[in-house]
Amino acid sequence: MSFHTIAILGGTGAEGSGLALRWARAGHRVILGSRNPEKAARVCNELNLQIGGNPICFADNRTAAGDAAIVVLTVPYPVQRATVDEVREQIAGKILVDTTVPLVPPKVARVQLPAGGSAVAEVQRMLGETVRVVSAFQNVPAHQLRNLDHAVDCDVLVCGDDVAARETVVGLARDIGLRAYHAGPICNSAAAEALTSILISLNLRYKVPGAGIRITGIPAA
């Protein structure tokens, strides 16, 4: 297992803080990136208390992205592109893991992909070849990530044009106990993004808190 410094932009949110908690417990150094230092300090303290020690720190988005080898984007869809543009210089040459789902309230249980077909693929086009963009974690229930007493009942689809970058992210998922699979190039992220709305629809219909996906027919690694 290789240990990394991981910056999570939007790290004070439900998904970002859950990923931070699990990666820090696995031994990675985690930086919460946030525009709100007061909230970041509070969330950082809560997470460190939960796992013990101080493996998680916080900084503004640019500083966090600049200090990390891997940057994870966990912000809402409306601010996805603006956040990426803010840290464009800091993420050059790095892996950007984008968890964005193009949910359009109030009908979040309806698939509403952007005109380009995929929110994450649009970011790869925006950045060009200077950043290796990988799509992952869109279908993982955030509240399950925060509950360290239970395994997360969901597999992870990992999409990206750079196979080595995909493999790194598959490894990061496995570090926190998730089964993850290479799901093809970045354009395939459209499927993972769309699945989130379907899972929300299933949650509503069957009155469950966190429907997930499982890939069958492939032996566990």
Side-chain angles (χ1 to χ4, degrees), residues 169-182:
V169 178
V170 166
L172 288 176
R174 291 173 178 166
D175 288 347
I176 58 176
L178 297 173
R179 297 193 308 178
Y181 299 92
H182 288 264

Side-chain angles (χ1 to χ4, degrees), residues 110 171 175 187:
R110 176 179 296 180
D175 288 347
C187 60

Side-chain angles (χ1 to χ4, degrees), residues 94-110:
K94 299 179 180 179
I95 295 174
L96 174 67
V97 185
D98 194 341
T99 72
T100 301
V101 176
L103 299 177
V104 183
K107 298 180 179 180
V108 294
R110 176 179 296 180

